[in-house]
Amino acid sequence: MSTFKTALRMALAHPLYLLIYTVFLSLLGVFIAASVSSNSSQLTDYKPCDANVVVVDRDDSDLSRALTKHLGSCFDLVTGVGDDTYDLADALSKSNGAKGHADCVFFIPKGFEDDLIAAARAGEELPRLDVTYGSGTMAAALSSAEASRWISLAGASAALEPVSSNGSVAKAAEHAAAKRAEVEIERVKVDSTAAATLESYFNFGAYAIISSVIVSVGLVLSGMNEPERVRRMDAGPIPERQRSLAVFAAAAVLTVCIWLVSSMMGVVGFAGAVAEVGVGRVCLALAATFALACTPLAVGFTLSSLGAREELLNGVGNLLGLLMTFLGGAWMPLSMMGSAVQTVAHFVPTYWVSDAINKALASDLTSAVLGDIACDLGITVLFAAAITAAGLALAHNKSRA
């Protein structure tokens, strides 16, 4: 019991590490998950992008009138705005939704029709419209792309029919521009905001657990393995096996406490989300994070077997915490990463933990899903077992040296 208490006192002798790695990083995870919840709650139903455009026709030709008509059929054509600098500036500066508001102004220059027909039939670059953007840059870019599309179609029509009149070219372009691919909007089931919030917290919370356990447990085990302390304990009446079990028990208790503090900060911070998702599902997610905590415990043991000190433990704890949570999809979805990164992610426990958390919180808990979760947890524990075996081998070789 004295060895057990001594080991715990060594951990408590470094309260700053516990405060930063466990409490502060967990609080940071709460803020990040809260921002995810806020962004998710602002999502609305799909609505096609609309644009308000002004067309200043200085050519007044068949092609210019056809282009104006086409833009009016695709977007909201703002009328009553004259070819005056102050009127146009006023239309662009008005706030969205105001009467007469425009996202952009198209200027069709004089001679536009003749220049377009001549350039198309000569195989030269087609003329472009002068465009002035307002505050709605995305809507303006969309309408500008549509205008460029119509000009390209008109140019193709003029080039294919060298003897056709300008009016025929305008009608052909109008007919071609009216053809659109059929688009269907499919509504799919998405994860609830509550599930997404908890998933975000537990995935990021892995950083706090990994770094805190590696540093804290590593300091305890390294301190207990110091030669002077080992000599004093060897002189005592407690057998070496019993001392080792007591030290390991202290490290395990410390790991459980770190996991519990980090987990409860998320559960308490998002109590409403826990109630919405269900206690059973949250418990499965917590089981996944507990399985993950075994890996940094094994890493801390292995590092102590190598004689790692405080600086190395801090570096490894932070580096592994960042790397493993990144490959687990805490910083950005793995689907946005390359195939090489996705392949490498399978070789870290956070990938399997993240998969288990996602299935526990967002999937229907069928027998197949529960089997997948159990498989994920089993693989996660195997990572810890493999690292522990390596640490035992290193400790054995060190004792024989």
Side-chain angles (χ1 to χ4, degrees):
M1 181 60 71
S2 61
T3 303
F4 176 82
K5 292 181 179 179
T6 300
L8 288 181
R9 282 197 298 268
M10 292 184 64
L12 297 177
H14 301 84
L16 190 60
Y17 289 139
L18 295 173
L19 182 64
I20 293 176
Y21 289 119
T22 306
V23 178
F24 176 75
L25 289 181
S26 296
L27 281 175
L28 184 61
V30 171
F31 289 126
I32 291 176
S35 66
V36 170
S37 175
S38 176
N39 292 335
S40 299
S41 63
Q42 295 175 3
L43 296 177
T44 58
D45 292 337
Y46 168 77
K47 182 180 179 181
C49 181
D50 199 4
N52 300 323
V53 300
V54 174
V55 180
V56 178
D57 187 0
R58 295 170 177 170
D59 191 43
D60 195 22
S61 59
D62 292 334
L63 284 181
S64 65
R65 287 190 293 269
L67 175 56
T68 302
K69 180 182 177 182
H70 175 71
L71 291 174
S73 66
C74 297
F75 309 103
D76 292 334
L77 193 62
V78 179
T79 58
V81 181
D83 189 1
D84 182 84
T85 302
Y86 294 102
D87 291 342
L88 295 173
D90 182 59
L92 288 173
S93 62
K94 288 180 180 178
S95 60
N96 289 334
K99 186 177 180 180
H101 160 74
D103 294 306
C104 65
V105 177
F106 291 99
F107 296 92
I108 302 179
K110 190 172 183 60
F112 168 75
E113 181 180 73
D114 295 336
D115 293 342
L116 191 152
I117 297 295
R121 290 173 177 170
E124 299 175 354
E125 184 179 358
L126 299 178
R128 297 180 181 180
L129 301 182
D130 292 329
V131 187
T132 300
Y133 283 17
S135 58
T137 54
M138 294 299 295
L142 177 64
S143 57
S144 182
E146 185 62 33
S148 298
R149 172 177 174 267
W150 192 94
I151 292 173
S152 297
L153 292 172
S157 176
L160 292 173
E161 300 290 341
V163 297
S164 61
S165 63
N166 294 347
S168 298
V169 171
K171 289 181 180 180
E174 185 177 354
H175 177 72
K179 294 183 178 181
R180 300 277 180 174
E182 294 184 1
V183 178
E184 295 182 356
I185 300 175
E186 181 181 358
R187 294 183 179 273
V188 297
K189 181 182 178 182
V190 297
D191 299 343
S192 68
T193 302
T197 301
L198 292 173
E199 182 179 356
S200 176
Y201 175 77
F202 288 138
N203 283 334
F204 183 84
Y207 180 26
I209 294 174
I210 292 170
S211 57
S212 184
V213 170
I214 289 177
V215 174
S216 300
V217 169
L219 286 174
V220 169
L221 297 179
S222 296
M224 296 300 292
N225 288 333
E226 289 180 356
E228 183 62 29
R229 182 171 281 104
V230 170
R231 282 194 295 268
R232 290 201 304 268
M233 291 189 296
D234 286 340
I238 303 176
E240 181 181 356
R241 181 181 297 272
Q242 187 175 344
R243 294 201 312 268
S244 299
L245 290 176
V247 173
F248 177 78
V253 168
L254 183 59
T255 300
V256 171
C257 290
I258 292 172
W259 165 80
L260 186 63
V261 170
S262 178
S263 300
M264 289 304 102
M265 288 183 71
V267 170
V268 173
F270 302 107
V274 172
E276 181 178 339
V277 172
V279 177
R281 292 174 177 271
V282 175
C283 287
L284 283 175
L286 290 175
T289 60
F290 181 76
L292 174 65
C294 297
T295 297
L297 173 61
V299 171
F301 169 72
T302 303
L303 290 175
S304 66
S305 300
L306 294 172
R309 296 303 177 191
E310 186 173 344
E311 294 78 8
L312 180 60
L313 290 171
N314 273 284
V316 173
N318 278 285
L319 181 61
L320 278 183
L322 288 170
L323 179 62
M324 290 173 67
T325 50
F326 173 78
L327 293 176
W331 302 98
M332 66 175 64
L334 283 175
S335 58
M336 298 177 61
M337 304 179 192
S339 57
V341 176
Q342 295 181 28
T343 301
V344 172
H346 287 72
F347 295 93
V348 294
T350 44
Y351 171 85
W352 304 97
V353 171
S354 178
D355 184 66
I357 291 173
N358 176 264
K359 290 177 179 176
L361 296 177
S363 304
D364 295 330
L365 295 182
T366 62
S367 58
V369 172
L370 291 174
D372 291 340
I373 294 174
C375 181
D376 289 337
L377 299 186
I379 294 174
T380 303
V381 173
L382 285 176
F383 276 101
I387 297 173
T388 302
L392 289 172
L394 291 173
H396 180 69
N397 291 335
K398 186 176 180 180
S399 63
R400 294 181 57 184

